[in-house]
Amino acid sequence: MKGHILIVDDEALYRQLLTSRLGRSGYALSEAGDGEAALARAQDGGVDLALVDIKMPGMDGIEVLKRLKQFDPLMEVVILTGHGNVDTAIAAMKLGAFDYLSKPYKLTELDIVVERALEKRSLARRCAALSAEVAHRRVCDEVAVVGRSPVWQKTLELVRRAAPLDMPVLVTGESGAGKEVVAGLLHRWSGRGAEAYVPLNCGLLDDELVESELFGHKRGAFSGATADKEGLFEVASGGTLFLDEIGELPAACQAKLLRVLDSGEFRQLGATALRRTNARVIAATHRDLDALVGLGKFRHDLLYRLNVVHIPVPPLRERREDVPLLVEHLMRRKGRAGGELPRFSEAAMGRLAAYPWPGNVRELRNIVERLVAFSDGACIDEGAVCSVLNLPVVAPATAVPRAFPGIVPLDDFERDYVVWVLDEVGGNVSAAAQALGVSRSTVYRFLRGELATG
């Protein structure tokens, strides 16, 4: 599709003339007889260029131009004006119009202006996509090099080996652990790194919208489909399509996705002709897909096709030695405006490293940003960290009062010490386990006297 043009004119004859001329050139077209109808159509999305008459009843062309640019700054607008309104047209160009045509204009002149406007629109979209891609690559590379733990280095080695293979990859791991970072690196370090990287979260859209986003649709394919739409498989052709939360993909889409992976072919919604794509698919999930297969909620053949290469992303609690490095990196990226960044005390950093981080790196980033933003001193201490993590500040073991006269068995001492810590944190077993560096079940076993040093 060469582009979608919205024709805005209160005179049906002019709309018919433009529709006839531009339709023969292969453009997708929509019409509006007044400004309100034009804005309503533009809000449906997909409009690349608007041809707007200046003189219309109600909202004039200048106001339509302003509102269209507010809605979509990249949309190009060409003003259509009669003789004697050139000054108004020039004023419109100062407001962001691409050009103007004075009625009556030559149709060849119309063709040239339309082609130039759509070329500018295409270049602007490419530049925006390139800027987003560059930013994404920078973030991925920055985060990837942060971490020296063996488990993270093993993950990166898997990524380096899988990146050039040009086959589907399944990335699994807890929410916030870095699955999107891994997907970005797979694209960046592959032979497709200079092409498009297109992400889609399958869990954020309803069934019909997911299918439309992936495969595109023809005008009239469903209620609200007022124009043809290119699917992400076409957008990502030659590059990488990242399907996050693949476990949420509707059953109908699973069958179509399997077909694309097997043959590279698909159909747009409402279309009969097959289209082709060579996009590489990287899928990610925090769910157990084998369990979903057992429940009949995920196709086993699709799982096998996606799981050609499997890269598990470790949770942050399994790479605790990386926490100080990540904290330092995050502080540099999200520091306070002006002045020097605060530092973390040794005790504060110890608390961060010992915390289980159920939200993984994403949670760590949020906590560091909050601590840095609200720090009013040169040092972030243990109390500040405990406050944002809702942890008790427990006195170190050396501060425990001498409560054991004479020599007693070591297991008795440990059990009584656990009781003392539990009392210090107000009976909170989770807080006691955190302070002791053990699990909740271990605390309960100490209390029952089931643990001994042996």
Side-chain angles (χ1 to χ4, degrees), residues 119-394:
E119 182 179 359
K120 181 184 176 185
R121 163 76 165 178
S122 177
L123 288 173
R125 294 179 70 176
R126 289 179 192 174
C127 287
L130 181 60
S131 297
E133 173 67 10
V134 168
H136 181 270
R137 290 180 183 179
R138 183 174 64 250
V139 170
C140 285
D141 285 346
E142 285 178 352
V143 174
V145 298
V146 178
R148 301 171 185 168
S149 62
V151 67
W152 184 241
Q153 289 302 313
K154 181 180 178 180
T155 300
L156 292 182
E157 180 59 26
L158 281 174
V159 174
R160 291 188 185 96
R161 294 175 62 182
L165 298 180
D166 206 27
M167 57 181 59
V169 178
L170 179 62
V171 184
T172 60
E174 297 177 4
S175 296
K179 297 188 294 296
E180 186 173 358
V181 169
V182 167
L185 291 176
L186 284 166
H187 171 73
R188 178 72 179 90
W189 294 346
S190 73
R192 299 168 177 257
E195 303 299 328
Y197 173 83
V198 182
L200 175 68
N201 189 318
C202 301
L204 296 182
L205 300 173
D206 61 33
D207 293 8
E208 189 175 74
L209 288 178
V210 170
E211 194 167 351
S212 173
E213 286 292 316
L214 285 175
F215 309 111
H217 64 250
K218 302 295 288 184
R219 181 179 181 179
F222 54 86
S223 178
T226 55
D228 292 355
K229 179 178 179 179
E230 193 176 41
L232 295 185
F233 264 110
E234 287 185 87
V235 175
S237 191
T240 301
L241 179 60
F242 173 48
L243 301 179
D244 199 5
E245 299 303 341
I246 191 69
E248 311 302 325
L249 195 67
C253 286
Q254 292 181 29
K256 288 192 173 183
L257 175 57
L258 181 61
R259 178 186 176 90
V260 179
L261 293 173
D262 285 338
S263 66
E265 296 179 338
F266 65 96
R267 282 191 180 88
Q268 290 184 316
L269 292 176
T272 55
L274 285 172
R275 294 179 178 242
R276 293 195 62 82
T277 181
N278 69 341
R280 181 191 194 181
V281 173
I282 298 173
T285 182
H286 73 283
R287 304 188 67 180
D288 184 342
L289 293 186
D290 286 315
L292 292 181
V293 168
L295 294 172
K297 295 182 178 181
F298 200 83
R299 295 178 63 107
H300 70 279
D301 47 1
L302 177 57
L303 175 57
Y304 299 150
R305 194 68 184 85
L306 289 171
N307 199 18
V308 177
V309 177
H310 176 215
I311 299 181
V313 180
L316 187 54
R317 63 181 174 274
E318 292 182 6
R319 42 184 294 226
R320 295 181 188 272
E321 56 265 59
D322 291 338
V323 169
L325 298 174
L326 286 166
V327 169
E328 182 180 354
H329 169 74
L330 293 169
M331 286 180 66
R332 287 198 303 266
R333 287 188 55 208
K334 298 291 185 180
R336 294 179 300 187
E340 294 184 1
L341 291 173
R343 63 178 180 83
F344 283 81
S345 70
E346 185 177 346
M349 190 64 76
R351 283 287 190 164
L352 291 174
Y355 188 67
W357 298 110
N360 293 293
V361 179
R362 183 183 296 126
E363 183 184 9
L364 175 65
R365 181 183 65 236
N366 294 338
I367 292 298
V368 170
E369 289 179 4
R370 191 187 314 173
L371 286 167
V372 172
F374 290 99
S375 172
D376 54 5
C379 179
I380 297 174
D381 60 18
E382 182 183 13
V385 171
C386 290
S387 177
V388 297
L389 294 178
N390 295 317
L391 296 175
V393 180
V394 180

Side-chain angles (χ1 to χ4, degrees), residues 22 25 28 74 94 101 148 181 197 287 308 359 403 411 433 441:
L22 298 172
S25 298
L74 295 182
K94 293 181 179 179
L101 293 170
R148 301 171 185 168
V181 169
Y197 173 83
R287 304 188 67 180
V308 177
D411 56 318
S441 61

